[in-house]
Amino acid sequence: MARRQSPAPAVDSSPFTENIVDIDVTSEMEGSFLEYAYSVIYSRALPDARDGLKPVQRRILYMMSEMGLRPDRGHVKSARVVGEVMGKLHPHGDTAIYDAMVRMAQDFSLRLPLIDGHGNFGSLDDGPAAPRYTEARLAAAALTLTDHLDEDVVDFVPNYDNQLTQPDVLPAAFPNLLVNGATGIAVGMATNMAPHNLVEVISAARHLIAHPDATLDDLMRFVPGPDLPTGGRIVGLDGIRDAYATGRGSFKTRAKVEIEQLSARRTGLVVTELPYMVGPEKVIEKIKDAVNGKKLTGISDIVDLTDRKHGLRLVIELKNGFNPNAVLQQLYRYSPMEDSFGINNVTLVDGQPQTLGLVALLTVYVGHRIDVVRRRTAFRLGKKKDRLHLVEGLLVAIVDIDEVIQIIRSSDEAAAARVRLMSIYDLTEIQANYILELRLRQLTKFSRIELEKEQDELRREIAELEAILGSEERLRELVSSELGEIAEKYGTPRRTVLLESEAVSPTVAAALAAPNGKGKAAPLALEIADDPCWAILTASGQIARTSNQEPLAESGPRSKHDVFSSVVKTSARGEIAAVTSQGRMLRLQVMDMPVLPPMSGLPNLAGGVQAKEFITLLKGETLVAFVPLDQVLAIGTAQGVVKRVQPDYPLNREDWEIIALKDKDEVVGVAPAGSEESDLVFLTRQAQLLRFAAGAVRPQGRTAGGMAGIKLAADDQVVFFGAVAPDDDDAVVVTIAGTNGALPGTAPGAAKVTAFAEYPAKGRATAGVRAHRFLKGEDTLLLGWAGHGPAKAASAAGVARSLPQEHGRRDGSGIPLSQPVDVVGPAMAWPDPS
């Protein structure tokens, strides 16, 4: 049986014939990966050491410059910029372009932002808006990176499709790589460079220009360390020196924290600066996690008060009884308020990745800048010579302008006119063409004097440019002076504080190191006692506080400092206030006051410190009294005004006004008056005493001016104002009469002590009753006082003085004193502070 033969296969006439090539997979993968790695390293991830820019950043700035997006012009949509860059120069996707653009506009990422962004360009905790919503233009500093591109200062290379050209590197009028830092992840390598202060970096660069053999120590005198955009503190400088020497190192950054008294009994840690690239939301989250996990103790709340006007303000409220410094050390340990920054100065030098130290980085930049200025000078020299050549031709022609015109008119064509001009006046072809191309009216406008002046100026400029090109020293001086101008124009003070080490008090260090049996710091070691105590203002102007171990006594021997102008019940970690004659209230920390040792049942007031060391008074201002911050206060003035103030004082201020005083008025007394049954007492120089219930005075706000307290006669003035507790059977009134004509301290006067109950209560704003009968030679009250008895007197230096025994006549005369009295106060038995 015959087999049927299959037809021959048809010949494939398609141009796409099958072509299979056998290759080694290992070799192909190695080659492809190397090409990809080189592309990432060179074209995407690493900055150039000369201008400090990655290719995408360079292309963005160049394209925005070409689009005319200067600082003096309006913003344009970011999407437009992204589209131009992607379509013409950088075909790697709009996301990469916009991300790079956003970073150059963020003042918390770059020390000197290069793009002026309008809209939401993101924050440390949130990303930016889409490019269709934001707008941008070049920042003023970016112009210095792109200046003089039209003067042949750098080489231009083709773009990705060989249809356009782009600069291989920007001129970079300042060391952008060190000033703004850089981050990038390539294949097998990465870069992470910290920002620095512009003025410091330029100062180091100028020193290197003047001294090419400068050492690292020489340059670190100008650049001691990074200057981060968000400020903060750098603790430990050894890692910075390692990075400057080798290109690799690390340092710790810490938040800037101030301890503030948030209220009378609440202390807080106020964070105003955070470590580089750490946002407040991240800090809040980590702190809450640490508190919930029992790693952090002593924190009651955390509030973010950050806004655009005041900047970052993170308030960490502390529980009472915890040492703020110790809590702060815990926060550094368990939250991002302390962070580490690793320096890895990997950058491209001549297209090759290298790890450079500070000296090498500045050397590369200085070399680039010198080359830019040299090329710019050569370009300008060529332009000046070309112009001089044309001016010289015009000067030859203008001498015989009529003949030149006749030659042109009589020539059949431009070529013939050109040849005749060149032969008759010995002109070059360029000069002849320039004359022929000028309009007749333009030619006649040239005057010989103006051309000769321009010729002289051009020759002078040419000589100067040639001198610069002919002298390496002058070229370097020019580069240095231009850097100095940039620093003066764009430089800002340092933001980051550099610390060799963190100073920790022995108490805090011991608290942090104390073990609790499990190898951890004992939380109780962070607590400090908030024991009750007394804050004291003495007759001699000293302030102090008692300790929690103060012994108690109903009475005891008197020391020479036994008269208290003010005594306020408080606690060791509490706050009180001082009131001045000008109506100011100043916040005082009780813990800052010296502690008095006990002596003979009473505090030894000789251990106090002068109030002027704690309180800053204005010119002509005196200290009136200490008062608590948590009670209603009554205030009396020299002109008879009375006011009760509610304790709604500002939390974040150290001083404020508590009464609006009239001209020539002043505060003479202030005392707690929370009970409406308390008696408010005025004493005047004409010996009038007014007593009325505190309930007759409605409480007012801090800025109010008060109301009428006592009705004063002509030329009368209040000498004392105070408050007496209700049902105080031991209250007394002390009056000391004298004469106005006597010099202070020379006439002791006559004193009288009367039971307070002898003075009847009257209505507010009345004249009151007589409190002292003047004898011959007496016409005024030198001193008055009302309060809990028995009363004690002292001199201004705190030396005790004697007062007469109490007697019953409220309008009687006084008993002459042997020595002047300056202060009267309660000689109180020391009660239990609790």
Side-chain angles (χ1 to χ4, degrees):
M1 181 176 176
R3 177 177 293 181
R4 186 174 174 178
Q5 188 174 2
S6 301
V11 178
D12 188 1
S13 60
S14 171
F16 304 102
T17 58
E18 183 177 298
N19 184 20
I20 300 176
V21 179
D22 291 332
I23 62 171
D24 181 55
V25 176
T26 302
S27 301
E28 179 66 20
M29 290 294 292
E30 289 178 353
S32 298
F33 183 79
L34 287 175
E35 291 179 5
Y36 166 75
Y38 179 77
S39 174
V40 172
I41 292 170
Y42 180 74
S43 302
R44 298 177 68 176
L46 299 184
D48 193 294
R50 295 169 293 178
D51 60 5
L53 298 171
K54 301 178 186 178
V56 63
Q57 296 172 324
R58 186 180 305 114
R59 291 162 183 167
I60 291 171
L61 296 179
Y62 172 66
M63 184 53 63
M64 293 181 72
S65 176
E66 290 295 295
M67 295 170 65
L69 304 181
R70 301 174 59 85
D72 55 351
R73 300 182 183 179
H75 296 80
V76 302
K77 286 292 184 181
S78 300
R80 178 183 169 190
V81 177
V82 172
E84 288 288 314
V85 174
M86 182 173 60
K88 295 182 178 180
L89 303 178
H90 194 78
H92 292 289
D94 56 344
T95 302
I97 298 172
Y98 186 56
D99 288 348
M101 183 177 174
V102 165
R103 186 178 187 276
M104 289 192 290
Q106 293 173 337
D107 57 0
F108 54 83
S109 294
L110 269 63
R111 188 62 177 81
L112 187 63
L114 303 177
I115 289 179
D116 178 13
H118 182 68
N120 179 15
F121 274 80
S123 66
L124 288 167
D125 295 305
D126 198 9
R132 62 181 179 274
Y133 298 121
T134 61
E135 298 177 345
R137 64 184 177 188
L138 288 176
L143 296 181
T144 64
L145 296 179
T146 59
D147 270 350
H148 312 302
L149 279 173
D150 57 345
E151 294 185 288
D152 191 34
V153 292
V154 295
D155 295 332
F156 276 70
V157 296
N159 70 333
Y160 66 93
D161 59 1
N162 294 320
Q163 294 187 9
L164 300 171
T165 59
Q166 58 185 338
D168 181 53
V169 66
L170 293 185
F174 66 89
N176 178 63
L177 185 58
L178 280 168
V179 172
N180 282 325
T183 59
I185 300 175
V187 179
M189 62 185 66
T191 185
N192 196 37
M193 303 181 66
H196 290 76
N197 185 272
L198 176 69
V199 176
E200 296 175 355
V201 173
I202 286 183
S203 298
R206 297 185 70 183
H207 181 81
L208 187 62
I209 292 173
H211 307 86
D213 56 347
T215 64
L216 176 60
D217 290 335
D218 296 334
L219 298 184
M220 285 191 67
R221 290 191 294 109
F222 302 97
V223 186
D227 186 20
L228 307 175
T230 52
R233 302 171 186 270
I234 293 178
V235 181
L237 305 183
D238 293 339
I240 294 175
R241 180 176 176 82
D242 292 340
Y244 287 167
T246 65
R248 296 179 185 272
S250 64
F251 58 85
K252 290 193 302 182
T253 59
R254 283 185 174 179
K256 181 180 179 182
V257 185
E258 299 292 339
I259 300 174
E260 295 186 8
Q261 203 71 25
L262 306 179
S263 65
R265 295 294 302 275
R266 183 71 71 183
T267 305
L269 302 174
V270 179
V271 183
T272 55
E273 296 174 3
L274 286 173
Y276 185 45
M277 301 308 291
V278 174
E281 291 184 10
K282 180 181 178 182
V283 172
I284 294 174
E285 180 184 358
K286 294 296 184 181
I287 290 177
K288 289 183 176 179
D289 291 343
V291 171
N292 294 334
K294 308 300 182 183
K295 292 181 179 179
L296 286 176
T297 57
I299 297 176
S300 62
D301 194 12
I302 180 168
V303 182
D304 188 2
L305 301 179
T306 303
D307 57 33
R308 293 187 177 182
K309 182 178 180 181
H310 301 94
L312 177 68
R313 184 174 176 84
L314 202 61
V315 180
I316 303 172
E317 297 183 5
L318 304 182
K319 297 178 181 178
N320 289 337
F322 282 83
N323 189 320
N325 289 304
V327 174
L328 181 58
Q329 295 298 321
Q330 281 193 327
L331 286 169
Y332 287 148
R333 180 182 300 180
Y334 297 115
S335 78
M337 286 175 57
E338 178 178 286
D339 199 11
S340 180
F341 188 97
I343 298 177
N344 191 21
N345 296 337
V346 179
T347 181
L348 293 176
V349 180
D350 296 329
Q352 300 297 322
Q354 296 184 21
T355 303
L356 304 181
L358 178 64
V359 177
L361 285 170
L362 286 175
T363 300
V364 172
Y365 170 76
V366 168
H368 168 63
R369 192 60 193 168
I370 290 174
D371 183 61
V372 166
V373 175
R374 180 185 289 112
R375 291 180 61 165
R376 185 190 67 195
T377 304
F379 179 85
R380 291 177 178 178
L381 177 61
K383 289 292 184 181
K384 298 294 182 183
K385 286 184 176 180
D386 292 343
R387 178 59 186 170
L388 178 62
H389 186 61
L390 297 178
V391 169
E392 289 174 343
L394 286 175
L395 281 172
V396 171
I398 204 171
V399 175
D400 196 4
I401 186 63
D402 294 333
E403 182 64 24
V404 169
I405 294 174
Q406 181 61 34
I407 292 173
I408 296 174
R409 292 183 60 189
S410 61
S411 300
D412 295 333
E413 56 184 4
R418 181 188 307 112
V419 172
R420 293 178 63 188
L421 288 173
M422 292 171 60
S423 61
I424 294 174
Y425 294 103
D426 195 21
L427 300 174
T428 65
E429 184 175 354
I430 295 175
Q431 291 172 325
N433 285 333
Y434 184 69
I435 294 172
L436 289 173
E437 290 172 358
L438 289 175
R439 295 181 181 180
L440 186 59
R441 61 183 176 86
Q442 291 177 307
L443 185 61
T444 57
K445 286 178 65 177
F446 284 103
S447 70
R448 184 172 183 177
I449 296 177
E450 290 176 346
L451 288 172
E452 288 177 347
K453 182 179 179 181
E454 183 181 2
Q455 182 185 43
D456 293 340
E457 181 67 19
L458 286 170
R459 287 175 175 170
R460 184 190 64 78
E461 292 175 351
I462 289 172
E464 183 177 347
L465 293 172
E466 288 178 340
I468 293 173
L469 290 175
S471 171
E472 184 72 15
E473 182 179 354
R474 291 197 58 178
L475 180 63
R476 286 177 169 270
E477 289 177 355
L478 177 60
V479 173
S480 179
S481 64
E482 290 180 354
L483 284 172
E485 294 173 1
I486 294 294
E488 183 177 356
K489 186 174 182 180
Y490 299 105
T492 55
R494 165 172 280 275
R495 299 175 186 173
T496 302
V497 177
L498 303 177
L499 302 174
E500 285 284 355
S501 61
E502 180 70 8
V504 179
S505 66
T507 303
V508 174
L512 293 173
N516 61 359
K518 298 180 181 180
K520 298 181 179 180
L524 290 178
L526 299 174
E527 299 180 15
I528 60 174
D530 194 18
D531 296 325
C533 65
W534 294 92
I536 305 167
L537 173 64
T538 72
S540 58
Q542 296 189 77
I543 65 175
R545 66 180 172 96
T546 61
S547 68
N548 61 334
Q549 301 296 326
E550 203 68 55
L552 306 177
E554 290 299 319
S555 62
R558 306 289 128 185
S559 70
K560 75 169 186 175
H561 296 283
D562 63 351
V563 176
F564 313 116
S565 296
S566 297
V567 179
V568 178
K569 187 176 182 179
T570 180
S571 62
R573 293 196 56 215
E575 289 180 332
I576 62 170
V579 178
T580 71
S581 59
Q582 294 187 11
R584 287 199 307 143
M585 179 176 276
L586 300 94
R587 190 189 305 274
L588 300 179
Q589 304 291 332
V590 177
M591 185 170 290
D592 293 339
M593 299 180 182
V595 181
L596 297 177
M599 183 184 73
S600 301
L602 288 171
N604 178 15
L605 299 182
V609 177
Q610 285 294 321
K612 63 183 179 180
E613 298 185 16
F614 289 84
I615 302 172
T616 302
L617 299 176
L618 305 177
K619 184 177 181 181
E621 190 176 36
T622 58
L623 181 60
V624 176
F626 280 177
V627 293
L629 282 166
D630 57 353
Q631 297 184 30
V632 176
L633 301 179
I635 305 170
T637 74
Q639 295 182 5
V641 175
V642 66
K643 177 184 178 183
R644 290 176 74 205
V645 187
Q646 292 284 6
D648 55 345
Y649 308 124
L651 300 179
N652 299 320
R653 292 175 56 183
E654 295 301 318
D655 64 277
W656 54 87
E657 184 184 68
I658 59 170
I659 184 172
L661 296 173
K662 298 179 181 179
D663 292 341
K664 299 182 180 179
D665 198 5
E666 64 178 7
V667 174
V668 296
V670 58
S675 172
E676 296 191 353
E677 287 75 29
S678 297
D679 284 314
L680 304 184
V681 184
F682 279 96
L683 264 171
T684 75
R685 292 199 178 276
Q686 293 185 9
Q688 292 295 116
L689 184 148
L690 176 62
R691 165 189 176 185
F692 58 89
V697 183
R698 59 178 176 83
Q700 294 178 298
R702 290 185 294 107
T703 57
M707 58 187 70
I710 184 172
K711 183 179 180 181
L712 296 175
D715 300 328
D716 199 2
Q717 189 178 18
V718 175
V719 69
F720 168 81
F721 172 83
V724 176
D727 302 326
D728 186 354
D729 297 333
D730 295 326
V732 297
V733 175
V734 179
T735 54
I736 301 177
T739 176
N740 277 321
L743 294 176
T746 59
K752 177 173 69 73
V753 180
T754 309
F756 181 69
E758 294 294 324
Y759 296 87
K762 298 290 183 179
R764 180 182 61 83
T766 61
V769 298
R770 179 180 294 277
H772 196 111
R773 182 167 58 88
F774 295 142
L775 300 177
K776 184 178 181 180
E778 298 175 349
D779 55 10
T780 186
L781 278 188
L782 300 176
L783 187 64
W785 180 83
H788 181 74
K792 291 297 177 179
S795 68
V799 180
R801 298 285 192 248
S802 298
L803 289 175
Q805 295 297 319
E806 178 182 339
H807 58 87
R809 293 186 55 189
R810 64 175 176 81
D811 59 347
S813 59
I815 298 175
L817 297 172
S818 60
Q819 294 176 306
V821 172
D822 296 299
V823 180
V824 176
M828 55 184 294
W830 209 249
D832 184 356
S834 62

